[in-house]
Amino acid sequence: MTLRKVNIFILVLALVIFLLVLHHNILGLSDLLKTEWSDSSPLGLQPIDFIPEAPQRLADDNNDKEIPVVITASDDRLGGVIAAVNSIHQNTKSNVAFHIVTLNDTVDHLRSWLSKTSLKNVKYQILDFDPHLLDGKVRIDSEMLNSIKPLTFARFYLPNWVPNAEKAIYLDDDVIVQGDILELYNTKLQPGHAAAFSDDCDSTTNKFAVRGAGNQYNYIGFLDYKKEAIRKLSMKASTCSFNPGVFVANLTEWKLQNVTKQLEKWMAVNVVEEIYSKTLAGSITTPPLLIVFYKRHSNIDPMWNVRYLGSSAGKRYSPQFVKAAKLLHWNGHFKPWGRTASYAEVWEKWYIPDPTNQFNLVRRHADMYETK
């Protein structure tokens, strides 16, 4: 019995010693964790809401992401392209690649203008538009013959110009960019949307231009609702239209939804059934876009398409408002290279004279035409 008691005593003593050692280790670990939590060094634990600053190398890499900008260039409007490209180039540190779509007879003039001026270091690609793409898709009206310009349809074929890009910006040639183009490129598109436009009824344009404009800024101003093909689409005639001169495209969605084929389909339908409104005044690229993107497009910030500077509405803008605009758009009859448009002096700031002097003749002709 005595031996048995001794064994029990030894076991109890060993257990007590084990528990004491374990307690000591736990206390040591607790102190260690407290020390590490309060340590401000990179090896210490950080509070869960701590967001470290991006390393400088990674932050700089964001500027290396290429921003594709597609713009068209016809010879009689080439100065507009030069001014637009210059304004974008001067107002951003981002890696912008210009994809300039033109016709064969303009290539040499464009290349000369770019290579012999301060734009010689701009990254650009000159692309040729084949007018035969439009065969059977454009209705030739003798009264609107001069308004049928093949390059206006280049925006329908965006994936052709930037086949490897996931996202791209399209710009008309009568714009000046005063903001950082990266901001426009970063426009968030909703899931399933292939493009983002500026609505014609947004607060900015509504304040200055829409008042008293009738149906000019609704779907009924662009489409003939008497035609069965339009009525079958069940689109509300009062739906606000959008301006297709400035937009951001998700090219992955564009391809998945076959947007180009859809646009071509409605162009062909119009050739046979004349579904466009008779009051279009030459805006024949807008109706197919309105149909295809009906309630399926995102919106860009209105300050990224401050338009109507090419019409009388542009005179209503204050100098302060024009200065604050991210992008100025001279859509309308009067172009800034004709000097009679509103705020043409702002455009002039970004214009680079033509080294061949050819565009000066165009400008003189435009002055004469607009003052008649």
Side-chain angles (χ1 to χ4, degrees), residues 70-362:
V70 177
I71 190 168
T72 59
S74 59
D75 209 48
D76 60 333
R77 300 165 66 102
L78 211 49
V81 177
I82 295 297
V85 168
N86 189 36
S87 68
I88 295 169
H89 177 63
Q90 295 292 338
N91 285 309
T92 188
K93 294 181 179 179
S94 298
N95 179 19
V96 180
F98 295 96
H99 302 266
I100 307 173
V101 185
T102 189
L103 301 174
N104 266 329
D105 56 2
T106 306
V107 172
D108 291 340
H109 186 189
L110 174 59
R111 185 173 286 117
S112 175
W113 205 333
L114 290 169
S115 63
K116 295 179 180 179
T117 63
S118 57
L119 296 178
K120 60 185 177 183
N121 294 322
V122 167
K123 183 188 294 186
Y124 67 90
Q125 178 185 29
I126 299 177
L127 301 156
D128 181 51
F129 183 83
D130 182 4
H132 291 296
L133 280 173
L134 305 177
D135 289 350
K137 304 180 187 74
V138 177
R139 183 180 181 82
I140 305 299
D141 188 330
S142 58
E143 295 181 1
M144 298 174 61
L145 192 59
N146 291 332
S147 67
I148 307 297
K149 299 184 183 299
L151 287 175
T152 62
F153 296 94
R155 71 198 80 190
F156 289 5
Y157 300 91
L158 273 186
N160 292 28
W161 317 130
V162 280
N164 298 319
E166 297 178 358
K167 194 175 183 181
I169 295 171
Y170 172 84
L171 299 177
D172 275 351
D173 56 13
D174 51 359
V175 305
I176 287 296
V177 174
Q178 299 186 132
D180 188 336
I181 198 71
L182 178 63
E183 182 183 332
L184 178 60
Y185 181 79
N186 284 337
T187 297
K188 300 296 184 184
L189 276 71
Q190 296 181 35
H193 286 182
F197 302 91
S198 177
D199 283 344
D200 286 324
C201 303
D202 62 47
S203 59
T204 304
T205 55
N206 184 57
K207 179 179 179 181
F208 294 99
V210 177
R211 189 177 302 163
N215 296 322
Q216 188 177 352
Y217 306 107
N218 297 326
Y219 267 49
I220 198 171
F222 292 88
L223 298 164
D224 188 348
Y225 275 76
K226 295 178 182 178
K227 298 299 173 67
E228 185 179 0
I230 297 300
R231 292 201 306 270
K232 282 183 176 180
L233 295 174
S234 300
M235 300 183 299
K236 289 186 178 180
S238 60
T239 301
C240 184
S241 56
F242 54 76
N243 180 272
V246 177
F247 65 90
V248 181
N250 178 334
L251 295 177
T252 302
E253 281 294 335
W254 190 290
K255 295 172 187 176
L256 284 173
Q257 297 176 27
N258 289 318
V259 169
T260 297
K261 289 295 182 184
Q262 291 187 60
L263 293 169
E264 288 183 326
K265 168 194 169 183
W266 289 107
M267 292 167 68
V269 169
N270 180 66
V271 170
V272 178
E273 302 183 30
E274 298 185 55
I275 60 173
Y276 301 169
S277 170
K278 299 296 185 184
T279 61
L280 272 182
S283 303
I284 58 174
T285 56
T286 304
L289 289 163
L290 293 180
I291 295 173
V292 172
F293 287 104
Y294 178 70
K295 293 189 174 181
R296 295 191 67 186
H297 70 275
S298 299
N299 295 316
I300 65 173
D301 182 341
M303 295 301 282
W304 273 102
N305 192 358
V306 172
R307 46 201 181 275
Y308 310 119
L309 287 164
S311 67
S312 58
K315 300 182 185 300
R316 305 176 193 174
Y317 296 143
S318 69
Q320 294 79 12
F321 178 73
V322 169
K323 185 177 181 179
K326 303 292 183 65
L327 183 148
L328 299 171
H329 190 181
W330 281 265
N331 61 318
H333 177 68
F334 301 103
K335 299 304 176 186
W337 48 85
R339 298 186 180 89
T340 56
S342 301
Y343 293 100
E345 69 277 7
V346 178
W347 179 89
E348 201 74 41
K349 172 185 174 183
W350 301 105
Y351 174 68
I352 299 173
D354 181 3
T356 70
N357 208 37
Q358 295 178 54
F359 193 70
N360 291 335
L361 299 175
V362 173

Side-chain angles (χ1 to χ4, degrees), residues 41-52:
S41 73
L43 295 177
L45 299 174
Q46 301 288 358
I48 59 173
D49 60 348
F50 172 78
I51 302 175

